[in-house]
């Protein structure tokens, strides 16, 4: 049973609430309350490395919740180009990283809740990235929760083969962390004015792919009531043999007794992780695992079981941010396909897709053709395939695409990966300009979806494929803007 909240506004704008786990001291700024660095599970350190998250023990006294907790251990984030303002800032890191943050209206609730999962290819990122300031959502009447979780080897190393069957399922430790956070939200968010019966999970990039996995995970059922995915999809998963193979390669690279991985200094573990990523045949070796328990099958096959409202979208030029400047600029015939350029399909199938694209667009410059193919393969089509599966099962589904180009910088004129983050979070900077409440920009659309479970355009279906396209100055509904790409890749996906 939840404790009653005790909101004691002090002259220094501190505020105290009584949670089921103990008292928290947060901060009030105008009409917004903020609590940072709130633990939601026991620290996954020592013997708990590579283990499922353990329940949080109550604490005595009053705990300060005024600053962000350390992020999960991770390598430095170079960003997409030198000086990229969206790169993860240097912030203290620790294996003790299972914390969340809350921004909520000071006005009495209950308010709908957004639980946000950050991006970063499952190896970098955290809730203290400046764009994830939840004050904008709180001003829109939403209780906003951002979740930190384990990353890289600590969050996605499948240990069943190398450590023994008692570690089977550790490849989904990060996802289990998120489920633990959602369980905490169900138990405690009412204290902060949030409604545990109206929880939307949302995420971008790796976070959106984690949203897809949670839509399919039996243990997450009932912990959320709507889902938002930006630049995600359900294809970035490992079959169990693939996850075991990655673990075997990690152990071989480490060159040590398997037991040492459980005590290896975290700096050495991150160095090993970086070497492993550099030697993998494809990008993103750290991904959700079809372990037969936490994730019994692919999201496309399982997502119809969870018929919550779903809003998902991508950006028009997603992988521009992942290509080098020469790759973006050269109109010459590109080099042969390399597995490191993509995540899902092998080079032979990408070569077939390119041959089809040449026949469909004979006059298109080679660099633009490859940009479109990689964007479709990595983000656009996986998101559409997930939307199709959800809509076909009767789940309310809406799809959008961000075509709004950046005005300045190395991606000027393009709408690349993460370009819509500032728009979603209503933050200033190179990726967006804040809008006023009531304006129908992306932030207002997402906030409306969180509050109501719907958005003001036609639902997606395989028959109509209605897609809201956001452009400079507004948005328009288009029917099947991805038709050409669906034709090019028809029959090539076999996940």
């Amino acid at each position: 049973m939840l404790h009653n909240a005790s909101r004691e506004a002090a002259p220094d704008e501190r505020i105290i609430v009584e949670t089921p786990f103990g008292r928290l001291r947060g901060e009030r700024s105008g009409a917004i309350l903020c609590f940072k660095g709130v633990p939601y599970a026991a620290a996954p350190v020592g013997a708990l490395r590579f283990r499922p998250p353990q329940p949080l023990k109550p604490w005595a006294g009053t705990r300060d919740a005024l600053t962000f907790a350390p992020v999960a251990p991770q390598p430095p984030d170079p960003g997409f180009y030198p000086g990229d303002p969206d790169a993860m800032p240097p912030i203290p890191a620790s294996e003790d990283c299972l914390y969340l943050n809350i921004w909520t209206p000071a006005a009495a609730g209950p308010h709908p809740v957004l639980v946000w999962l950050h991006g970063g290819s499952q190896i970098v990122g955290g809730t203290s990235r400046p764009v994830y300031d939840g004050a904008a959502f709180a001003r829109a009447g939403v209780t906003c929760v951002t979740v930190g979780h384990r990353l890289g080897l600590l969050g996605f190393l499948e240990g069943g083969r190398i450590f023994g069957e008692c570690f089977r399922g550790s490849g989904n430790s990060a996802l289990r962390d998120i489920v633990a956070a959602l369980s905490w939200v169900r138990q405690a968010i009412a204290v902060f004015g949030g409604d545990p019966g109206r929880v939307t999970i949302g995420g971008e990039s790796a976070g959106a792919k984690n949203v897809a996995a949670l839509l399919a995970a039996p243990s997450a059922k009932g912990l959320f009531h709507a889902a938002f995915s930006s630049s995600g999809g359900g294809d970035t998963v490992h079959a169990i043999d693939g996850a075991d193979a990655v673990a075997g390669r990690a152990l071989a690279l480490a060159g040590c007794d398997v037991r040492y991985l459980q005590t290896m200094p975290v700096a050495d573990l991150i160095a090993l992780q970086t070497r492993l990523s550099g030697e993998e045949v494809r990008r993103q070796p750290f991904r959700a695992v079809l372990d037969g328990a936490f994730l019994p099958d692919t999201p496309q096959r399982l997502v119809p079981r969870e018929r919550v409202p779903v809003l998902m979208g991508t950006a028009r030029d997603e992988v521009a941010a992942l290509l080098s400047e020469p790759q973006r600029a050269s109109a010459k015939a590109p080099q042969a396909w390399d597995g490191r350029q993509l995540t899902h399909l092998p080079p032979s199938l990408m070569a077939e897709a390119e041959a089809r694209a040449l026949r469909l667009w004979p006059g298109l410059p080679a660099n633009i053709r490859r940009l479109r193919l990689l964007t479709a393969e990595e983000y656009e089509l996986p998101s559409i395939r997930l939307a199709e599966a959800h809509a076909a099962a009767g789940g309310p589904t809406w799809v959008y695409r961000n075509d709004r180009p950046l005005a300045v910088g190395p991606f000027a004129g393009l709408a690349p990966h993460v370009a819509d983050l500032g728009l979603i979070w209503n933050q200033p900077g190179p990726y967006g300009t804040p809008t006023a409440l009531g304006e129908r920009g992306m932030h207002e659309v997402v906030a409306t979806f969180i509050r109501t479970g719907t958005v003001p355009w036609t639902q997606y279906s395989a028959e109509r494929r209605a897609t809201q396209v956001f452009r400079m100055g507004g948005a328009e509904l288009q029917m099947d803007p991805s038709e050409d790409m669906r034709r090019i890749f028809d029959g090539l996906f076999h996940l």
Side-chain angles (χ1 to χ4, degrees), residues 17 20 59 62 176 214 273 295 389 395 408 445 455 464:
V17 298
W59 60 84
T62 300
R176 295 176 192 271
L214 292 171
Q273 174 181 304
L295 200 56
V408 297
V445 166
V455 293
R464 300 194 68 188

Side-chain angles (χ1 to χ4, degrees), residues 172-231:
N172 288 319
S173 290
L175 292 164
R176 295 176 192 271
D177 293 344
I178 297 166
V179 170
L182 288 168
S183 297
W184 186 97
V185 167
R186 181 174 60 183
Q187 294 177 72
I189 204 63
V191 170
F192 302 88
D195 185 350
R198 285 194 295 164
V199 175
T200 297
I201 55 170
E204 184 267 343
S205 192
K209 293 172 182 180
N210 291 339
V211 166
L214 292 171
L215 280 164
S219 61
K221 186 175 178 63
L223 295 178
F224 59 90
H225 312 90
F228 169 57
S229 164
S230 170
S231 301

Side-chain angles (χ1 to χ4, degrees), residues 116-143:
W116 183 262
L117 312 179
H118 67 78
S121 300
Q122 313 288 22
I123 57 173
V124 298
T127 63
S128 46
R129 190 187 294 270
V131 73
Y132 299 140
D133 183 342
F137 279 110
R139 284 192 290 271
V142 172
T143 297

Side-chain angles (χ1 to χ4, degrees), residues 114 116 200-205 207-216 224 226-235 299-304 306-316 318 376 378-393 395-403 420 424 442 445-447 449-450 453-462 465-470 476-478 481-482:
L114 168 65
W116 183 262
T200 297
I201 55 170
E204 184 267 343
S205 192
K209 293 172 182 180
N210 291 339
V211 166
L214 292 171
L215 280 164
F224 59 90
F228 169 57
S229 164
S230 170
S231 301
D235 291 357
Q300 278 86 356
R301 296 192 184 104
L302 292 183
V303 73
E306 193 64 55
R307 299 180 186 179
V308 300
V310 169
L311 171 63
M312 62 179 61
T314 57
R316 185 191 63 198
E318 292 272 11
E378 169 66 12
Y379 298 104
E380 182 180 10
L381 294 182
S383 292
I384 286 174
R385 283 154 50 82
L386 197 61
E388 286 176 352
H390 191 257
T397 309
W398 293 269
V399 171
Y400 74 87
R401 191 176 76 194
N402 176 40
D403 283 17
D420 55 356
I424 292 167
M442 289 187 68
V445 166
V446 174
F449 177 72
I450 295 164
T454 187
V455 293
W457 67 81
T458 304
Q459 289 190 31
Y460 191 87
S461 69
R465 301 186 184 276
T467 303
Q468 187 83 332
V469 179
F470 289 88
E476 67 173 355
L477 190 67
Q478 295 185 12
S482 301

Side-chain angles (χ1 to χ4, degrees), residues 29 38 52 54 61 73 111 138 163 202 206 210 225 243 248 286 344 346 349 365 400 405 428 468 473 489 491:
S29 178
V38 179
Q54 297 301 302
H111 309 290
F163 296 136
N210 291 339
H225 312 90
F286 308 111
H344 313 299
L349 293 184
Y400 74 87
Q468 187 83 332
F489 281 91

Side-chain angles (χ1 to χ4, degrees), residues 153 157-158 161-163 243-261 264 269 271-273 275-276 279-280:
L153 286 171
L157 178 68
E158 176 51 55
R161 173 181 169 185
I162 62 173
F163 296 136
D244 283 344
V246 170
R249 289 193 289 274
L251 181 60
L253 282 173
C256 63
D257 183 278
V258 64
R259 290 169 295 183
Y260 183 56
L261 288 177
M264 177 183 286
L269 200 67
L272 170 62
Q273 174 181 304
R275 289 176 60 202
L276 177 66
E279 296 190 15
E280 283 297 288

